[in-house]
Amino acid sequence: MESLELYKNLNDSGKMDLLAGFHEEPSMEFINYLEGELFSVDADEFLRIEIWKFLSRFSHANRETKDKIVKMIVESHLDGDEMVASIGAQELMFFDLARDDFERIFNLLSNDVYQKMDMADLSASLIRLLCTRKNRDNGSLEFLHELENMDLYRDSIKAWTT
């Protein structure tokens, strides 16, 4: 509770410093507040990136947090917030992902509308996520093969698998 009140009274720079230097176990109230701020369109993008990092350190085992983050990444192309989504995809490596998470990522990557957008950084981060988790029994390898079969992101996949 004390951390949350302190956080609320800081400017964005102070919030980022607090999150970066945080070493105690945060309360669920604090985590829930940060999730709300993460999904706020009014929050500074660099603060949102620091929130990603914080959540990956302290809430990586929380399925609800992970589900919200995957949803945000998959839907982020709608508002063009590629930088924040790319960092989020990188931070997802610290979460336990399941086959349905990879299916949602695959659906985004294989979407015709998404492919026509200039989202090279987000796409690369998502391909990296699929590639680095491919040896786990969670379904990512299946979706990598499907992308290759569709002749999508072949160079990115090759770069991360060699």
Side-chain angles (χ1 to χ4, degrees):
M1 181 70 100
E2 184 177 308
S3 300
L4 177 57
E5 293 308 315
L6 175 62
Y7 180 85
K8 287 179 178 180
N9 292 317
L10 295 171
N11 63 20
D12 286 350
S13 179
K15 288 177 179 180
M16 288 186 278
D17 290 343
L18 175 74
L19 294 175
F22 205 88
H23 297 294
E24 58 196 67
E25 190 64 31
S27 69
M28 278 310 295
E29 183 180 20
F30 190 32
I31 287 175
N32 290 336
Y33 184 84
L34 290 175
E35 286 177 2
E37 194 158 60
L38 179 64
F39 299 106
S40 167
V41 293
D42 297 328
D44 175 80
E45 62 188 5
F46 294 105
L47 175 58
R48 292 172 68 196
I49 289 169
E50 203 57 51
I51 293 171
W52 280 123
K53 293 176 183 180
F54 181 89
L55 292 174
S56 72
R57 281 189 329 209
F58 292 108
S59 194
H60 62 272
N62 185 320
R63 175 106 180 137
E64 289 178 20
T65 299
K66 188 264 311 167
D67 288 345
K68 290 176 187 175
I69 292 172
V70 170
K71 180 180 180 189
M72 185 208 178
I73 290 169
V74 168
E75 294 177 0
S76 67
H77 71 285
L78 300 173
D79 63 14
D81 202 350
E82 183 184 18
M83 182 179 79
V84 174
S86 296
I87 299 295
Q90 294 169 27
E91 293 299 319
L92 269 178
M93 286 191 234
F94 298 103
F95 288 81
D96 292 327
L97 301 174
R99 186 183 187 288
D100 62 315
D101 300 315
F102 293 116
E103 184 173 19
R104 291 180 77 191
I105 292 167
F106 167 79
N107 289 339
L108 173 65
L109 289 169
S110 61
N111 180 290
D112 290 336
V113 172
Y114 175 82
Q115 290 175 34
K116 292 176 184 171
M117 300 175 84
D118 184 22
M119 294 288 201
D121 291 339
L122 176 56
S123 298
S125 293
L126 292 171
I127 294 297
R128 178 179 177 222
L129 177 66
L130 290 173
C131 290
T132 57
R133 308 276 297 201
K134 70 177 183 175
N135 293 323
R136 300 181 187 175
D137 291 329
N138 56 11
S140 63
L141 185 59
E142 169 188 347
F143 294 110
L144 278 173
H145 288 312
E146 187 63 29
L147 289 171
E148 287 178 314
N149 290 340
M150 296 170 75
D151 201 27
L152 296 173
Y153 310 102
R154 188 174 299 275
D155 292 338
S156 291
I157 293 170
K158 186 176 181 180
W160 285 108
T161 56
T162 56

